[in-house]
Structures are given as C-alpha cells and as structure tokens.
Amino acid sequence: MIRALAAELTKLKRASLPLWSVVTVLVSPAMSNIFATAQDSGEWQLTWPEFFKLGSMTMGTWWGILLFGLITAFVFGREYAEGVSPNMLTTPTRREYFVLAKFAVLSVWVIALAMLSLVAQGLAAFALGLDGFAWAEVWPVAGDVLTVALLILLTQPVIAFFAVASRGVFAPMILSAAGFLAGMLGGIAGWGDWLPWAMPTVVGGTLFGPIIPIETQLTVGSWAIAVGLALIGIAATLVRMNRADSQG
C-alpha cells in the first residue's frame, strides 16, 4: 500500500494539474462576485459574511463538481490515456492497493482544495472592502464548505469507475459534466434529499437561491444514498481493475 501511495504521489510531482487546480480555486471567488453583482438591486448591502457564504454555493453548483470530476478522471484515467497502464497492471503490487491509493490521494486533494477555497473566499471579501467580519461567521461556513466537498467526493467513485472501465479520461469527464447539470437542475427542482449530485445544493444553495429557495433537507436516508453510491463505485472500480487483463 505504501509503495502504491508513493507511486501516485510521484506522478503528481510531474503533473501540472495540481497547480492548475490551485489556480482555479484561487480565482473561484470571482464567481461569487459575479453572482452577488447580479443579485444587487440597490437595496441589498453585501457584507463580508454574506459573500463568504457564497463559497459553498459556487463549489456545490459550479466549479467544485467540474474540477473534482476532472481530478478524478486524471487520477484514475491518466495511465490509460498515456498508454502506460501495462506498467501499473504488471507491477508486483496488489491492484487493490493502487485503487485505494488513488482514492486516498483524491480525497486529500479535494479536501485540501476545499480548505484553500475558504481562505480564497475570505481574502476576496477583504479585498472587496466588505464589512462585518466575525469569527463566529467563519466556522459554520467552513463546516458547510467541507460538507459540500464531502458530498461531491462521495460521487467521485462512479467517475473513477468510468475512467477505469473506459480506459481514459474522456468518458469520466462527460459523466462529470452530466453530474454538473443534474446537480444544478436537481437542486432547483428540490431533489437534493435523494439525488447525490444535487445534495450539495441543500447545504450551499443554488444560483437561483433568492428566487427559488431550497426547502429540502439532508436526512439519514440522504447520507445513506450518498455513501451507498460511493461504496458501489469503489467496489466496481476494484472489480474492474482486477479483471483488466481478462477483459482487455
């Protein structure tokens, strides 16, 4: 397991996606600014806490689903896209370890970007000269952002399976885009309590939040669906990886 994890980290050192993912997160507050500007009717005074809260919405309905899906496609499909998958499949290490190592790297990567987004959103609010900063406002929003990141992360094993099954990055990226649309439309339709891709909207809201408020809530059943989907995706990815030789 340690050898597989070390191999995944070595691959990241030679890749440019980690840097570009950081850049994407650092500029993500611009989406919040666009949204806030669009909602400004002259009667609403934007404050630091209100702008800070928009971070979980933009992650859950915009950049988070697409960026995390791209990262998953990269982590699980890169070897196939570059034609070096035989090297991984013939390494004298159990294939389950490679899969688990990839999921570990993906999880740390996603959570790290989520935490970075909190810093970027807060600094952007200061840069805009917004008033009302209070530490009491930071912690609940931080919890919301991490919850949104976790909910998105729980959908990624399905993306990982498609990367392994299709032996590339194109199919999982298409699926990620479909998840983006399903999440946005499902959130507006009020399906966030049962549709995994729409669950982040229950926490962070949607682009049309002021017009169409979210009335659904996450329940124990909602989390059971999300975790169940993740476990199915992980199991399917493990099975597909172990059968890679026999199925070509």
Side-chain angles (χ1 to χ4, degrees):
M1 179 66 182
I2 298 300
R3 181 181 298 177
L5 187 58
E8 291 301 316
L9 294 176
T10 300
K11 296 173 188 175
L12 291 184
K13 292 180 181 179
R14 302 193 298 265
S16 59
L17 185 57
L19 174 60
W20 284 111
S21 67
V22 170
V23 172
T24 301
V25 171
L26 292 178
V27 301
S28 64
M31 300 180 188
S32 299
N33 193 34
I34 293 173
F35 173 79
T37 302
Q39 296 299 319
D40 187 5
S41 61
E43 300 177 356
W44 177 47
Q45 183 65 37
L46 183 64
T47 63
W48 195 98
E50 289 170 339
F51 184 85
F52 192 56
K53 291 176 183 177
L54 293 176
S56 60
M57 185 274 289
T58 55
M59 177 192 290
T61 59
W62 292 92
W63 65 266
I65 293 178
L66 293 174
L67 178 60
F68 297 162
L70 174 62
I71 292 172
T72 303
F74 169 81
V75 171
F76 285 87
R78 180 185 180 187
E79 287 90 354
Y80 299 105
E82 296 180 353
V84 296
S85 58
N87 296 338
M88 176 183 66
L89 297 176
T90 57
T91 299
T93 301
R94 294 185 61 176
R95 294 180 184 179
E96 293 90 343
Y97 292 162
F98 280 110
V99 174
L100 296 177
K102 288 177 181 294
F103 277 120
V105 169
L106 173 64
S107 300
V108 173
W109 196 341
V110 166
I111 297 303
L113 291 178
M115 296 178 67
L116 178 62
S117 73
L118 284 169
V119 177
Q121 193 77 10
L123 292 178
F126 283 122
L128 292 172
L130 301 179
D131 298 323
F133 169 79
W135 283 111
E137 301 286 349
V138 173
W139 309 122
V141 176
D144 287 346
V145 167
L146 292 176
T147 301
V148 167
L150 176 59
L151 288 169
I152 298 175
L153 182 61
L154 289 174
T155 65
Q156 297 311 297
V158 177
I159 308 294
F161 168 73
F162 272 81
V164 173
S166 66
R167 293 177 170 267
V169 299
F170 184 72
M173 289 175 64
I174 293 297
L175 181 61
S176 181
F180 164 76
L181 292 176
M184 181 177 295
L185 297 177
I188 295 173
W191 299 341
D193 56 339
W194 62 269
L195 183 63
W197 286 270
M199 288 180 185
T201 64
V202 177
V203 180
T206 70
L207 177 64
F208 301 101
I211 303 173
I212 308 176
I214 299 296
E215 298 180 354
T216 55
Q217 294 182 345
L218 294 178
T219 64
V220 174
S222 303
W223 283 102
I225 293 172
V227 173
L229 178 68
L231 293 176
I232 291 172
I234 293 172
T237 304
L238 287 167
V239 171
R240 183 66 182 91
M241 183 71 78
N242 278 329
R243 296 180 178 179
D245 287 342
S246 60
Q247 295 184 6

